[in-house]
Amino acid sequence: MNSEILNYMGLGGLDVGYIFIGMLVLLLLLTVLVIIQMVSTSKLKKRYSKFMQGKDAKSLEMDIIGLYEDNKFIKTSVEKNKRDIRDLYKKLESTFQKIGIVRYDAFQEMGGRLSFSLVLLDENDNGFVLNSVHSTEGCYSYTKEIKNGQCDITLGEEEKQALDIAMGIHVS
């Protein structure tokens, strides 16, 4: 069989059977693709129907607006919480967080163990030592300033012990 169209395309010597088989393969491939597309569309329709069940465009719009407003409220709340937490951390830096206390007998068995050294430090190891010495004549209290865990005035043994306890240095 001789075809003008095939001759014009330069395929005049090609057997028509091959063209027919090629077209059948192409038709089969296209049929499979259409079936796959139909299944996918069917699944999408089911999901859409389930999503839209009992809703019209107005109620769906209200739902979306409600979600948007909720999201906006949550974002502002989170930002406020972040600011509040930063403020609390800033305030906590200067509060006394570390405590050390040592009770002792200032005058070897004359006044009992009523004397004490109390150390109060903030996060940066700044604070003071409060030393209270109890004797039979009275009670005397004095303080020494602590900066960065150090004192400019020489500390007594009990004061040093209380400072070590407050700073978490192992005391034996």
Side-chain angles (χ1 to χ4, degrees):
M1 175 173 191
N2 203 358
S3 170
E4 284 185 36
I5 295 175
L6 291 178
N7 285 333
Y8 180 72
M9 292 187 327
L11 301 173
L14 191 63
D15 188 8
V16 177
Y18 290 127
I19 294 174
F20 182 71
I21 291 173
M23 290 180 74
L24 276 177
V25 169
L26 183 62
L27 183 64
L28 184 63
L29 181 65
L30 288 174
T31 304
V32 169
L33 289 175
V34 166
I35 291 171
I36 290 172
Q37 191 63 36
M38 286 173 58
V39 169
S40 177
T41 304
S42 174
K43 285 181 183 178
L44 189 58
K45 278 185 182 179
K46 285 179 186 176
R47 288 177 60 198
Y48 177 75
S49 294
K50 187 175 181 181
F51 176 71
M52 293 300 289
Q53 192 172 26
K55 295 183 177 157
D56 58 3
K58 195 76 168 166
S59 66
L60 188 59
E61 181 180 356
M62 295 307 293
D63 286 349
I64 292 171
I65 289 171
L67 289 172
Y68 175 75
E69 291 298 322
D70 290 348
N71 191 26
K72 210 162 71 169
F73 173 75
I74 289 170
K75 281 183 178 180
T76 56
S77 296
V78 165
E79 287 304 315
K80 182 187 178 307
N81 288 343
K82 283 181 182 178
R83 284 192 307 273
D84 290 347
I85 289 170
R86 275 195 297 269
D87 290 346
L88 285 172
Y89 275 124
K90 192 170 188 108
K91 289 176 184 175
L92 278 175
E93 283 181 357
S94 61
T95 61
F96 294 126
Q97 301 175 19
K98 303 172 186 176
I99 300 170
I101 189 166
V102 173
R103 291 183 58 205
Y104 62 97
D105 185 2
F107 298 104
Q108 276 62 7
E109 298 183 26
M110 287 185 62
R113 290 176 36 105
L114 300 176
S115 301
F116 66 88
S117 291
L118 172 68
V119 175
L120 298 173
L121 300 175
D122 65 9
E123 184 177 300
N124 300 313
D125 293 332
N126 297 321
F128 61 90
V129 176
L130 172 64
N131 201 350
S132 180
V133 179
H134 183 78
S135 70
T136 53
E137 291 98 37
C139 183
Y140 305 96
S141 298
Y142 57 91
T143 61
K144 296 178 183 176
E145 186 177 22
I146 306 292
K147 288 186 178 179
N148 297 320
Q150 301 293 320
C151 184
D152 293 338
I153 302 169
T154 304
L155 295 176
E157 180 182 329
E158 292 84 7
E159 294 170 326
K160 178 71 174 123
Q161 261 185 312
L163 180 62
D164 288 348
I165 290 170
M167 292 179 61
I169 299 172
H170 181 61
V171 180
S172 35

